[in-house]
Amino acid sequence: MAFLTSAAANPPPSESTQQAVGYPSLFLLVALGSLVPVVPTGAIVSSAAVVALHQTDPFALLGVFCVAAFAALLGDVGLYVLGLRGVRSRGGSRWLHRLQERADERTLATAQRRLDEHGAAVLVLSRLIPAGRIPVMVACLLAEMPLRRFVRGDVPACLAWAATYQLIGILGGAIFPEPWQGVVLAVGLTFAIAGVPALARRLRKP
């Protein structure tokens, strides 16, 4: 009886409360992860999609998609603006140097070749390939691609990226009845996908 009284006095948070907290958190984490490429943004979006799938709000998944895509775009644009400042200054910038350090010569050369062949459209593919975003962004910076052209190419890239990782979350959430089980599967899948480039580099080494 005491348990029932306690539960009534402390009801679980409503979906509206979860969304009021969840959407701003999702936005901040994805934007930060796009600006500082160490946060696993794909896993965050997939986890948010799992939680949204188990809510009764029919627009919850749409909300996750819009927030994730918009946050990714703002983060990309912010990082690109900081990189452009480094390209146009004599001494470069800390952000530009850090980006260049994350792109090895072979990968950067491939990104530059694809940029020459396909233009800003290569941004879409770079967002979908694990560890492909930074080398292509560095190639765009070294080519001094105008910010407006970068944004035009990055909009569909961020939309495709958000849709892909949301789909991973939906698949994970649909398999298990409990949201936490779907989150574990979605996070595991996104980390496994992210680890593919590192594994490929190890296999290429003699």
Side-chain angles (χ1 to χ4, degrees):
M1 187 67 176
F3 173 77
L4 293 177
T5 304
S6 175
N10 300 282
S14 64
E15 289 186 6
S16 59
T17 302
Q18 293 176 359
Q19 292 173 359
V21 175
Y23 288 149
S25 300
L26 174 64
F27 177 85
L28 290 175
L29 288 172
V30 172
L32 177 64
S34 298
L35 189 61
V36 183
V38 292
V39 179
T41 51
I44 292 170
V45 174
S46 296
S47 300
V50 172
V51 176
L53 181 67
H54 287 273
Q55 293 183 347
T56 58
D57 183 358
F59 299 105
L61 285 171
L62 179 61
V64 170
F65 171 76
C66 293
V67 170
F70 184 57
L73 177 64
L74 285 186
D76 282 357
V77 171
L79 187 59
Y80 194 74
V81 169
L82 292 171
L84 278 178
R85 289 182 178 179
V87 170
R88 292 167 180 170
S89 65
R90 291 183 178 181
S93 71
R94 179 183 59 185
W95 290 95
L96 179 60
H97 294 323
R98 286 183 178 179
L99 288 175
Q100 289 176 314
E101 288 173 357
R102 296 178 65 90
D104 60 83
E105 293 182 4
R106 182 175 180 178
T107 306
L108 180 57
T110 301
Q112 289 173 320
R113 185 176 66 252
R114 290 176 177 172
L115 179 63
D116 292 338
E117 294 173 353
H118 305 289
V122 76
L123 289 167
V124 177
L125 186 61
S126 75
R127 259 288 182 179
L128 298 179
I129 295 178
R133 181 174 71 101
I134 297 303
V136 170
M137 183 176 289
V138 173
C140 292
L141 288 169
L142 295 179
E144 296 191 34
M145 177 183 291
L147 178 60
R148 184 176 298 180
R149 186 183 174 198
F150 175 83
V151 172
R152 284 202 302 265
D154 201 47
V155 167
C158 291
L159 292 173
W161 172 82
T164 299
Y165 280 99
Q166 185 172 34
L167 179 60
I168 293 174
I170 291 173
L171 293 175
I175 293 175
F176 298 104
E178 296 294 331
W180 70 266
Q181 296 171 319
V183 169
V184 170
L185 178 60
V187 170
L189 286 174
T190 53
F191 274 103
I193 293 171
V196 170
L199 178 61
R201 285 195 296 269
R202 286 189 178 184
L203 293 176
R204 284 201 302 264
K205 290 182 178 180

